[in-house]
Amino acid sequence: MTAPPRVLLINPTITSARNARFPLAVLNLSAALDGSYDSTIVDGNVDRDFISTTLRTIAVGGIGAVGVSVMGGPQLLTAIAVSRAIKENFPRTPIIWGGHFPTICAEACLASAYVDYAIRGQGEETLHEVLDAVLGGAASALESIAGLSWRSGDRIVHNKNRIFSVGAFTGGLPYDRLGDPKRYLGRTYLGQRTAGYQAAIGCRFRCTFCGVAAMFRGKTALPPASRLEQDLGYLKRRFGADSVQFFDHNFFDRKEETDPLLEVLAEHQLPWWCFARSDALLNLTERSWSLVRKSRLRMAYIGAESPSDSLLHDVRKGTSSNQTLEVVKLCRSQGVIPELSFMVAPPQDPEGETERTFEFIRHIKRIHPKSEIMIYIYAPLPPPPGPADPAVLRGLSALRDVDGAALAFPASVEQWAQPQWLAYWCHTDVPWLTERLRSRIRDFTTVLGCRFPTLTDIRSPSWGKTTLSALASWRYRYQRYGHPWELDLSRKFIRLRDPRVSSL
Ligand code: B12
């Protein structure tokens, strides 16, 4: 009897080996294929020569298809490199892209010869069905697979969206397929061995700027507390985890469902970090907060986005600037550090909004000086295939570059991989920024970052952080942000970590 074809699942390099965390996407997919297809995982974050490893693995034989996990931004470059190498050497091996980039840009993916199938949204069931169709030879079944984009002759076809599924909650993850799973638990601000973990799936909100909304379309599912209990116990026993970074898109969802999870966390008392919303935190009862304190929540990443309530309304954030201020006070009283992210320079009034945001940040720093601040540039992504939200389309059609020309999103993967579009995906630059505003944002970010070095930076020496903070203090105090040459120079010697790039 011949062995069934194996699937190679690849997480292309996106960060340094030191910052690598469990590649949850490929682990979940691998678990979902169990029983039908064997799978092998290659992780470019720990295997720095992952393209050679990939080619060697395929050359041995038995690999029926390759799945590549692709986030927009810098991972696109490594995803392209590995996919091209596979196509050149093994042209008959089907290459399937999945993840945030193909979910939004399936059309651009299929304009490239090295992507055969683009899977949009959650991948577990769609990948299974595509493998059945492709490896089982029933190519005609392709048109009935929800969540799949594919080529039919020279036509690109986007099948209907797949309905949200909680399938990923079943069973544990096959960590052993990572070779040495312990190396994924890094030293962070939270502890010596921080594990990356996802308890819930999705997010019930549909903020127009957020990639999560494109992936889950306003759906979420919280896991039973017993699953969290079991998994945390396992991470502790098996890998010696002493802290957890929750990757859930929105940890505190509804009170009824959150309290049982908090009870588990309070039991384990592993310092933790999570994504949260100001309204949810403000709605927690005193009992919930006592569990939060006991559980040792250290930091909550909260999308503050803007001080302007009309903008918050337009992007359907569902929270107000007042709630941001209230949650900062609440966090201070509860011993939690809020990590607040902002989107500056929206196209309606880039300069005005940016200046108001800087003022708002200064106000927050006065309330709770330990608040962490993440500054991003507002950069809405194109709508995914399928029925588009009219509000999103209206916003996108109004986008112009500095010369007033309508913004045209890239039509191919190669264009998305150009530096200016990588920066766009990473929210670090957009075509409507004037040079003046670009410098202003860079300068403010530099002065703020030096004046208040992030607590999550455990690698820079404390003397270095104190020196930079002292050097930046007069600029911050007198709002003299322009051309901070002495800070730029000092940072060449005292490197500060940027959590926007590497997270914790
Ligand atoms: C961990 C993480 C990182 C890590 C990478 C991992 C590591 N350290 O090893 C780091 C810190 C490097 C990172 C960086 C970035 N990240 Co990030 N990151 C995440 C995070 C928190 C968790 C990812 C995860 O493991 N999810 C759990 C898995 C199970 O879900 P999943 O990845 O979505 O996978 C499912 C589907 O996408 C699909 N799928 C995925 N891969 C594949 C492959 C195949 C073949 C198939 C069929 C399906 C499939 O099926 C999976 C199972 O259902 C997410 C938020 C989140 N909760 O997802 C943000 C997130 C993915 N990141 C995001 C972004 C934008 C970035 C950046 C590109 C930009 C930025 N500034 O944040 C940067 C790049 C920075 C830089 N300049 O280098 C966005 C993506 C949104 C978008 N539209 O692209 C997210 C959603 C955060 C957010 N709310 O905005 N990130």
Side-chain angles (χ1 to χ4, degrees), residues 3-9 29-40 62 64-65 124-137 177:
R6 266 185 313 133
V7 180
L8 187 60
L9 296 170
L29 294 167
S30 181
L33 295 179
D34 279 351
S36 305
Y37 298 95
D38 287 343
S39 50
T40 302
E124 287 86 350
E125 292 163 13
T126 318
L127 179 61
H128 202 294
E129 290 175 21
V130 170
L131 293 174
D132 288 350
V134 174
L135 303 178
R177 287 175 204 161

Side-chain angles (χ1 to χ4, degrees), residues 9 11 14-15 19-26 28-29 45 66-74 96-101 103-104 119 121-124 127 168 198 210-212 215-216 247-249 275 376 381 425-427 499-503:
L9 296 170
N11 181 39
I14 181 174
T15 192
N19 289 326
R21 298 289 171 267
F22 289 132
L24 295 179
V26 286
N28 274 290
L29 294 167
N45 286 338
V66 177
V68 187
S69 185
V70 194
M71 205 190 284
I96 305 164
W97 276 24
H100 282 274
F101 183 77
T103 294
I104 295 171
I119 289 182
Q122 295 174 280
E124 287 86 350
L127 179 61
Q198 173 147 340
C210 183
V212 173
M215 173 80 61
F216 296 99
F247 288 158
D248 301 33
H249 304 99
F275 291 102
Y376 291 105
L381 290 168
W425 204 289
C426 290
H427 304 272
R500 289 174 304 175
V501 172
S502 46
S503 189

